[in-house]
Amino acid sequence: MNSDSIRLRLLTFNIRFGSGGENIHMPGYKLPVFHKSIETISTAIDSVKPDVVALQEVRGAAQAEKIASKLGINYAYISHQLGYRLYFFEWGLALLFRFKMLATDRRSLIFDDKTQVGRMALMGTMDVGGRPVTFINLHFDHRDISGQVDELAARTETHQYPLVIMGDLNCDPEEPCLKPLRAYMNDTCSMVSTGSSKEAQARGTLLANRRRVDHIWTDGDHFKVIDAGILPTSLHRISDHIGYFADVEIV
């Protein structure tokens, strides 16, 4: 390893609002939140000891804070909603991290004026070993993924710092809608051929249909991918998604 390189473990995890991994064909927001879910989600995250975690389907800032507190790490949260809450409940994205946050921002990728609900991107630039690195957490709406990719690319293609994009993209990595992203970012799972990366590609990250819709992408100029994989089998029923991790070096 280059003496100047920094190694990170990254994790993305759609936690289904803390509703667990049963009744996987029902929307998570229609199911109760289990009080033990914070404990089990935190245990699952801690099992792979990540440095930065992107969580999707987080039921409010309080849920994000509780998980971060259990892990003893920092957090940032944003809601997908703006203004008066007309939707079923507040929900959003969280970044959990062990570093100093230099700046945070939110960007709208798609927005519905009627419901005041959209899909936001949570952007956090952190001091990682003395180097600023930008992490983006997102959860694409399954409608008009191409439009959301175009919006993301317009905001990140000429990024200033080393860039990581993490989240639930609601599509497989080979789908044509992700072509703009593939032009300047690398799908971590496709960049290595290890036992755990092969398992992730074969198993996927959705319980219902084994699709690999949860992703970590890194820019090729600043990152080398070392490994990738999914959480252990015993932790697959914590949500209707399986947590996906990647080990990378900033070079």
Side-chain angles (χ1 to χ4, degrees), residues 39-156:
E39 189 73 43
T40 55
I41 290 167
S42 302
T43 298
I45 292 170
D46 195 47
S47 72
V48 293
K49 305 296 183 186
D51 299 295
V52 180
V53 184
L55 298 181
Q56 303 84 45
E57 294 194 7
V58 181
R59 190 163 182 157
Q63 191 174 72
E65 190 278 332
K66 288 177 182 177
I67 296 171
S69 179
K70 287 282 186 183
L71 295 167
I73 58 179
N74 306 310
Y75 82 98
Y77 169 85
I78 62 166
S79 171
H80 286 303
Q81 301 177 202
L82 295 175
Y84 182 69
R85 290 189 291 169
L86 301 175
Y87 215 41
F88 45 90
F89 55 74
E90 183 186 334
W91 65 300
L93 305 166
L95 281 170
L96 313 180
F97 50 94
R98 302 185 187 279
F99 305 106
K100 178 182 178 181
M101 182 69 80
L102 301 175
T104 59
D105 201 356
R106 61 186 290 162
R107 290 287 186 270
S108 176
L109 301 177
I110 189 172
F111 193 72
D112 186 328
D113 288 327
K114 182 179 179 180
T115 63
Q116 292 288 289
V117 176
R119 291 299 172 96
M120 303 294 167
L122 171 56
M123 309 173 71
T125 299
M126 306 176 197
D127 181 340
V128 180
R131 301 179 65 177
V133 180
T134 298
F135 299 87
I136 300 178
N137 180 12
L138 45 82
H139 182 185
F140 285 158
D141 192 306
H142 63 87
R143 299 164 294 182
D144 189 23
I145 292 178
S146 293
Q148 293 165 86
V149 172
D150 289 344
E151 184 69 24
L152 177 67
R155 297 179 183 277
T156 60

Side-chain angles (χ1 to χ4, degrees), residues 171-178 182 187 190 201 212 215 217:
C171 62
D172 298 291
E174 300 83 11
E175 291 189 27
C177 61
L178 294 182
R182 288 194 292 269
D187 165 35
S190 301
Q201 294 192 46
R212 185 161 66 87
H215 302 250
W217 294 65

